[in-house]
Amino acid sequence: MAEGEQGTYVKSGEEFVRDTDYVTTRITCDGADGFTPEAGRYRLVVARACPWANRAVIVRRLLGLEGAISMGMCGPTHDARSWTFDLDPGGRDPVLGYERLQEAYFALDPDYPKGITVPAIVDTTTGKLVTNDYPQMTLDLSTEWTDFHREGAPDLYPEALRDEIDAMAQTNFTEVNNGVYRCGFAGSQEAYDKAYRRLFTRLDELEEHLSTRRYLVGDTITEADVRLFTTLARFDAVYHGHFKCNRAKLIEFPALWAYTRDLFQTPGFGDTIDFPQIKEHYYVVHTEINPTRIVPQGPDVRGFLSPHGREQLGGRPFGDGTPPGPPPEAERVPPGHGAD
């Protein structure tokens, strides 16, 4: 299950298993699936609350694809039917004209049987979903949309390091990105205990790995860092308490916490994080875990802007490239919603 899939998460006595059966249509230069990169044709639909969608937002920012791929923003909460465009005037996406993301899914398949997930790329010429395959989506933004990258865009998926990036990302997915969900949606004490041990075993490994190197793979930011960051940025705010991942807070891991602050303070990362929306989503939508829907006031997130000292480890955040400029005015996180 990706973030936002409707239905029951917790099944008594069972271990949480994520449904990874997505619409795998790709937008590629060779048009093998019938879709090629075209400026203005596609709309990336996301929600700031969702870590999987957050990956696509960051990659789009880093590569400078704002002018080629427009972005629609769902609100942080949804009902059993779908993510909604309740942040937009009149509650409709201004480009697609939809009230609910499910309309794009049903335009593709009126009997679409799976959950309605973000991120999703929609063809604005037909209103139909193209893909919700979030792992492939960001890789394709890096490799298939190069004609539309900004000048100075970083190489987030360098060919020489792809096997290492893929291996790192896969391990982090199973043990950390999805590991927090296995803790939170465990249907038995045994399932939770197992998930908890696996999660913190991997976090301990990452703490050691990052104590002597600035980034996960190579000496620049890669896709692997983007994928880990979106989970770490949410760890203390939701996963530590809401998902019972409470052996330690992120701020108690010296290297991981400094690494997260380093990325947060890098243009394209922290400027995509909306803490109130993140907390509202998890604590309001997951009523099986939090039936009162009370959203906690803490934690104090101003520490994300404190000095991290990671420069001493070397590394070049954007390699031979440059940082992205400020986000478009309409896409900026509201004041007071970040770490300011």
Side-chain angles (χ1 to χ4, degrees), residues 137-157:
M137 185 186 299
T138 50
L139 297 182
D140 285 344
L141 292 180
S142 282
T143 60
E144 303 292 334
W145 285 80
T146 53
D147 287 347
F148 300 94
H149 288 182
R150 66 177 174 86
E151 184 177 354
D155 187 353
L156 300 176
Y157 198 49

Side-chain angles (χ1 to χ4, degrees), residues 114-181:
K114 312 293 287 186
I116 310 300
T117 63
V118 290
I121 292 181
V122 180
D123 183 352
T124 63
T125 67
T126 63
K128 297 179 180 180
L129 174 76
V130 177
T131 181
N132 65 342
D133 185 1
Y134 67 91
Q136 188 62 50
M137 185 186 299
T138 50
L139 297 182
D140 285 344
L141 292 180
S142 282
T143 60
E144 303 292 334
W145 285 80
T146 53
D147 287 347
F148 300 94
H149 288 182
R150 66 177 174 86
E151 184 177 354
D155 187 353
L156 300 176
Y157 198 49
E159 192 165 358
L161 296 175
R162 287 181 186 177
D163 287 347
E164 191 175 350
I165 291 170
D166 291 346
M168 175 67 71
Q170 181 59 36
T171 300
N172 288 343
F173 169 76
T174 59
E175 306 306 303
V176 180
N177 303 132
N178 194 47
V180 295
Y181 284 84

Side-chain angles (χ1 to χ4, degrees), residues 21-35:
D21 185 14
Y22 301 113
V23 177
T24 57
T25 305
R26 294 176 60 192
I27 302 169
T28 57
C29 293
D30 63 8
D33 289 348
F35 296 94

Side-chain angles (χ1 to χ4, degrees), residues 1-334:
M1 262 182 288
E3 191 72 18
E5 180 153 348
Q6 285 69 56
T8 300
Y9 285 87
V10 180
K11 294 184 179 180
S12 180
E14 296 185 14
E15 179 178 340
F16 171 73
V17 177
R18 182 173 297 279
D19 183 350
T20 57
D21 185 14
Y22 301 113
V23 177
T24 57
T25 305
R26 294 176 60 192
I27 302 169
T28 57
C29 293
D30 63 8
D33 289 348
F35 296 94
T36 57
E38 297 178 39
R41 177 176 177 179
Y42 305 101
R43 189 155 177 83
L44 172 65
V45 179
V46 301
R48 290 204 186 276
C50 170
W52 319 102
N54 197 175
R55 298 174 175 188
V57 177
I58 291 171
V59 170
R60 174 177 171 272
R61 277 273 290 127
L62 296 178
L63 299 178
L65 288 169
E66 294 97 332
I69 306 172
S70 67
M71 187 166 71
M73 193 78 65
C74 297
T77 62
H78 56 71
D79 58 20
R81 291 171 59 195
S82 175
W83 293 93
T84 58
F85 295 101
D86 51 293
L87 301 178
D88 293 306
R92 288 185 179 274
D93 180 86
V95 172
L96 301 172
Y98 291 154
E99 290 183 317
R100 295 174 175 271
L101 179 56
Q102 69 177 9
E103 295 174 65
Y105 281 72
F106 292 160
L108 175 69
D109 178 0
D111 298 316
Y112 185 77
K114 312 293 287 186
I116 310 300
T117 63
V118 290
I121 292 181
V122 180
D123 183 352
T124 63
T125 67
T126 63
K128 297 179 180 180
L129 174 76
V130 177
T131 181
N132 65 342
D133 185 1
Y134 67 91
Q136 188 62 50
M137 185 186 299
T138 50
L139 297 182
D140 285 344
L141 292 180
S142 282
T143 60
E144 303 292 334
W145 285 80
T146 53
D147 287 347
F148 300 94
H149 288 182
R150 66 177 174 86
E151 184 177 354
D155 187 353
L156 300 176
Y157 198 49
E159 192 165 358
L161 296 175
R162 287 181 186 177
D163 287 347
E164 191 175 350
I165 291 170
D166 291 346
M168 175 67 71
Q170 181 59 36
T171 300
N172 288 343
F173 169 76
T174 59
E175 306 306 303
V176 180
N177 303 132
N178 194 47
V180 295
Y181 284 84
R182 284 205 313 271
C183 289
F185 296 122
S188 70
Q189 187 69 50
E190 181 181 8
Y192 165 75
D193 291 346
K194 178 182 177 182
Y196 178 95
R197 288 192 297 269
R198 288 178 58 179
L199 168 64
F200 282 99
T201 294
R202 183 56 181 169
L203 290 177
D204 288 339
E205 292 170 351
L206 288 167
E207 173 71 13
E208 181 177 358
H209 181 77
L210 289 165
S211 65
T212 57
R213 53 192 301 157
R214 191 169 180 185
Y215 303 112
L216 289 173
V217 178
D219 65 352
T220 66
I221 292 168
T222 68
E223 175 81 17
D225 297 297
V226 174
R227 294 187 179 196
L228 181 60
F229 170 80
T230 59
T231 295
L232 296 182
R234 290 160 172 76
F235 198 88
D236 287 1
V238 288
Y239 303 142
H240 178 271
H242 184 59
F243 278 177
K244 306 180 186 70
C245 303
N246 61 356
R247 195 199 80 184
K249 297 178 181 177
L250 178 66
I251 60 173
E252 297 173 68
F253 288 91
L256 272 172
W257 174 223
Y259 165 80
T260 306
R261 300 201 311 277
D262 187 3
L263 290 177
F264 190 94
Q265 295 169 34
T266 299
F269 284 84
D271 55 29
T272 71
I273 299 294
D274 187 315
F275 287 110
Q277 286 200 26
I278 288 169
K279 291 195 296 183
E280 184 179 359
H281 170 73
Y282 284 90
Y283 286 99
V284 171
V285 172
H286 299 159
T287 55
E288 297 167 4
I289 298 174
N290 185 42
T292 65
R293 298 187 176 185
I294 294 172
V295 180
Q297 289 290 324
D300 186 344
V301 296
R302 290 175 293 180
F304 277 92
L305 299 180
S306 63
H308 52 76
R310 298 280 291 179
E311 302 93 340
Q312 65 185 354
L313 295 175
R316 303 172 301 145
F318 297 99
D320 295 329
T322 58
E329 182 67 33
E331 296 180 7
R332 294 182 182 178
V333 173

